[in-house]
Amino acid sequence: MRKKAALLSALVSVFLIMNASCSRKKQVEESAQEKYGRGTEFFMGLRSMQMGEETKGKRQLRAASRSENPLIARRAKEELARSEDGMDTRIKALSDLYEEYKDEAALLPLCRELYANNEYAKIISATEGLDLAVCHNNIAYYRLRSMNEKHDSRFSKEFLVWCTERPFDRLQYSLYSELAAVPKVVRMLSLIYNRNYGSALPLTKEFMDGGGRMTAQIASAIGKCLLYGSAESAENAAFLEKYAATTNTCQFYFYFYAARLYDRAKGMRDKAGECYKAALATAKDVSGKADDKLYDNALWYYFLSSLEASPEAAVKVLERYRDKWHDPYYFDDFLDSLSYRLLSGQFWGLYVKTAGLLKDFASKESAAKFCYVSARLLQEGIYKPKDMDAENEAFSLMNAALDSGTDFYYRMLAASRLGVGRTELVERLRLLRQDREFLRNEDAEELLLGYADFGFPEKIYDEWQNYKDVIGMDTVRKLSSFLFSCGKNQEGYYTQSIRMASRKLFNSEAGLSGLDDSLFTLSFPRSFSAKVSEYCTEYKVDEQLMYALIRSESFFDPTVISSAGAIGLTQLMEMTAGDVAKKLKLTKYDLTDSATNIRFGSYYISEMIRRLDGSQILAVFAYNAGITRVRNWALSSRDELKGRESALPNDLFLEMLPISETREYGRKVVGAASIYGLLYYELSSEEVISRIMG
């Protein structure tokens, strides 16, 4: 009797649990139906297709194709087209899709499917009237391949347009390699593409002497060939300069490469400057309209040329053109080089003057750098001006760096120097870099949120990349938070979450609520916290430093391998890992295993700190550039400042490191560590900076 009662009770419990589960599921579905309308069918259809319920899934997708949200409706139609089994029905579905939308996003999958099934005539028909100079290059490739297969009489003319009026890349080269006969100009372009400049050189002269039709692509390729394929720099420069003066076509490229060639020739920097100025004056696209990108590119090289002459010359050119560039961030690397040259050459007054020149014109990052460093030169008494109050000027410059609205490194250092308290600092960090032109795409937001609500993390990141400029802060918070939660089961989602949140953090349409804003914690997460805590405790490493190092090295991606072969979260080289393994007495290890990588990285940075007399910042430099280099830099830094007895402060020492990559790496790690200290460890900027910078 007791057994029957127990069995009955168990059955009742199971029934109640199942009933409750079904009830919750029904509530979720009813809530989703209210939120997404017909779009609900799209997400449910995706789930049905995943589970192998194809008939049900297609029915749901067909219903979703009538969604009020045009983007969801389109994605439903695309899924239906991809799900068709037979070749003919799949082609028909993709053709219908293209007929409806008439854009390249619909044309490309149609061409791909037609090409896979040797339907060359249909590709030619579908791509009639396309401008091969500007359309999607893969679509142009499918058209040209099909025309060649069908021996279309128009092939030669269109192939020439495709090769000469847009950048010559692997697709052009692939088709070129299969052809028995091609125009000499295409052969020339293919040789230059493969960096076979020596063989291409006679063809460039032959083409120019023969008066062939010049395009921007050809002119650029010829300039590159003369620059890299010949030692006769002055002669080639004069040839291009003369050619530019006698033509109205593509003048920019001839002046631009003439300038670069004059730069290579000895004693001809003045001629280079004249040609750079001519290039700036002729920076136009094929329609004759001013081209901002060409202009900025030429100006960047002009700045670099002047810096190679001297820092003084560079500042003169900068003073003349600082209000004429179009994208100030394009010049950040040049300005970092200028900063280094001014400091290493001890042009203290000129450095402070440059800070004033850049204040309202450079990117926020570069302006912050010059303001902060100038303030420190004044505070340390390295620069002692006679015509200004050094203390007041330093205070003003330091506040300008703090309120620059830029990345964290210089802002946190400035806050530390100014003694800004936590509450005031949080208020001054509320807006990093505002996107004043933001326009929300509600359809894209609804689609992305649906992927999250219905559990499709694998679809979010790629779709977000299509629409990242039109997705608002609230939506990014939700998506990034969802992906972060998915990272606990599939670690790759951590990286996607961070990238999405970080981008919005520095391109927000409104101010942040403060350090409690989830965009902060999602941009600077503590993924793998148990292992980080364990090994930081074991090897006596500050957690905020370790998190900053992992974030800077890998964005928390445990599988990433750099081009140099560095592996995993802390980006360790195999040789370094081998040395660490010996010291830890391990014979087998896997650097893509997150726990192992964190352990090795924690041990290695702790060893760098120990061997560099407890200096965290020197250890950070050594992590990037090697301990021998850092020791040599530290030994020589005192000698570089005439009359100074004490060692250079570490913040200024960073700015004088001869390797730009290490300078930037140091800034990234220190900036991130300071934010981790503020977010999670209740440390002030002063406390974090003093620990890491010494």
Side-chain angles (χ1 to χ4, degrees), residues 50-67:
Q50 266 190 357
M51 297 175 66
E53 299 174 348
E54 193 169 321
T55 301
K56 180 182 178 182
K58 286 184 177 180
R59 184 178 70 249
Q60 291 167 323
L61 290 172
R62 280 192 288 271
S65 70
R66 299 186 293 277
S67 170

Side-chain angles (χ1 to χ4, degrees), residues 169 367 527 604 642 684:
D169 73 3
S527 309
Y604 185 62
K642 298 169 185 174
S684 68

Side-chain angles (χ1 to χ4, degrees), residues 470-517:
V470 292
I471 304 300
M473 294 171 69
D474 288 341
T475 298
V476 171
R477 288 186 185 99
K478 292 173 184 176
L479 296 173
S480 181
S481 181
F482 171 69
L483 288 174
F484 186 81
S485 67
C486 295
K488 295 170 185 174
N489 297 317
Q490 191 170 331
E491 294 172 343
Y493 288 127
Y494 282 139
T495 305
Q496 294 181 5
S497 169
I498 298 167
R499 291 192 186 283
M500 290 176 67
S502 295
R503 189 180 193 281
K504 182 53 72 172
L505 186 70
F506 291 103
N507 293 275
S508 57
E509 64 269 22
L512 303 164
S513 62
L515 284 179
D516 60 341
D517 195 305

Side-chain angles (χ1 to χ4, degrees), residues 109-124:
L110 172 60
C111 288
R112 190 182 294 121
E113 184 68 28
L114 290 170
Y115 189 79
N117 292 282
N118 302 325
E119 295 283 358
Y120 304 123
K122 290 182 179 179
I123 292 176
I124 295 171

Side-chain angles (χ1 to χ4, degrees), residues 106-261:
L107 181 56
L108 182 57
L110 172 60
C111 288
R112 190 182 294 121
E113 184 68 28
L114 290 170
Y115 189 79
N117 292 282
N118 302 325
E119 295 283 358
Y120 304 123
K122 290 182 179 179
I123 292 176
I124 295 171
S125 175
T127 56
E128 287 292 352
L130 282 181
D131 186 347
L132 298 180
V134 297
C135 72
H136 194 293
N137 206 32
N138 289 81
I139 294 175
Y141 172 76
Y142 287 129
R143 175 173 175 80
L144 270 298
R145 285 295 302 264
S146 299
M147 294 178 79
N148 187 48
E149 292 285 347
K150 299 298 288 184
H151 304 291
D152 191 303
S153 61
R154 299 168 295 172
F155 170 78
S156 295
K157 182 178 179 181
E158 293 195 18
F159 177 69
L160 186 62
V161 168
W162 184 49
C163 290
T164 60
E165 295 193 12
R166 66 187 301 157
F168 193 97
D169 73 3
R170 62 179 182 81
L171 291 179
Q172 280 91 333
Y173 182 72
S174 173
L175 184 50
Y176 157 81
S177 301
E178 298 175 12
L179 301 177
V182 293
K184 280 187 177 181
V185 66
V186 177
R187 181 166 176 263
M188 177 189 77
L189 291 172
S190 72
L191 289 168
I192 295 170
Y193 168 74
N194 283 300
R195 300 181 182 179
N196 190 350
Y197 303 117
S199 298
L201 196 59
L203 295 177
T204 64
K205 298 286 182 70
E206 182 180 338
F207 178 83
M208 296 178 79
D209 291 341
R213 181 175 175 272
M214 189 66 69
T215 67
Q217 168 59 27
I218 295 172
S220 177
I222 288 174
K224 189 181 296 183
C225 185
L226 292 175
L227 181 64
Y228 298 117
S230 170
E232 299 173 350
S233 299
E235 293 86 343
N236 288 334
F239 172 71
L240 289 179
E241 184 182 14
K242 182 179 179 181
Y243 191 93
T246 59
T247 182
N248 292 320
T249 306
C250 305
Q251 285 179 297
F252 168 83
Y253 296 97
F254 301 121
Y255 281 125
F256 174 69
Y257 280 103
R260 293 186 64 188
L261 282 159

